[in-house]
């Protein structure tokens, strides 16, 4: 939102947008829960053996702060 060059104080912002923000969060949560609840109840299938990282996985690990790269 634009406020003509200045942001309102927290209390004013909460008065203007607090309820709408809470309702948006609740609507998002409810929608995701309703559409994904079957997937959330499924058991996680984990492979019995580990698979070595490929190049893309190594770069991802390095980007996340891992110890080794490539």
């Amino acid at each position: 939102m634009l406020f003509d060059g200045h942001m309102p104080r927290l209390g004013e912002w909460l008065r203007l947008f607090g309820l709408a923000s809470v309702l948006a969060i609740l609507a998002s949560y409810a929608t995701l829960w309703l559409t994904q609840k079957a997937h959330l109840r499924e058991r996680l299938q984990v492979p019995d053996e580990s698979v070595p990282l490929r190049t893309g996985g190594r770069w991802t690990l390095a980007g996340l702060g891992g110890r080794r790269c490539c």
Side-chain angles (χ1 to χ4, degrees):
M1 302 303 285
L2 298 176
F3 289 98
D4 196 26
H6 70 281
M7 286 293 294
R9 294 186 179 268
L10 178 59
E12 179 70 9
W13 189 93
L14 288 173
R15 185 182 70 73
L16 293 171
F17 302 108
L19 180 61
S21 296
V22 169
L23 291 176
I25 291 167
L26 291 175
S28 298
Y29 178 83
T31 301
L32 286 170
W33 184 77
L34 288 171
T35 60
Q36 302 301 314
K37 64 183 173 181
H39 296 290
L40 292 171
R41 290 190 178 124
E42 292 177 5
R43 278 192 77 102
L44 182 62
Q45 296 178 357
V46 180
D48 292 337
E49 58 186 57
S50 62
V51 178
L53 288 178
R54 295 182 187 167
T55 303
R58 290 183 188 135
W59 280 108
T60 302
L61 181 63
L64 292 172
R67 286 180 274 161
R68 61 178 232 206
C69 176
C70 311

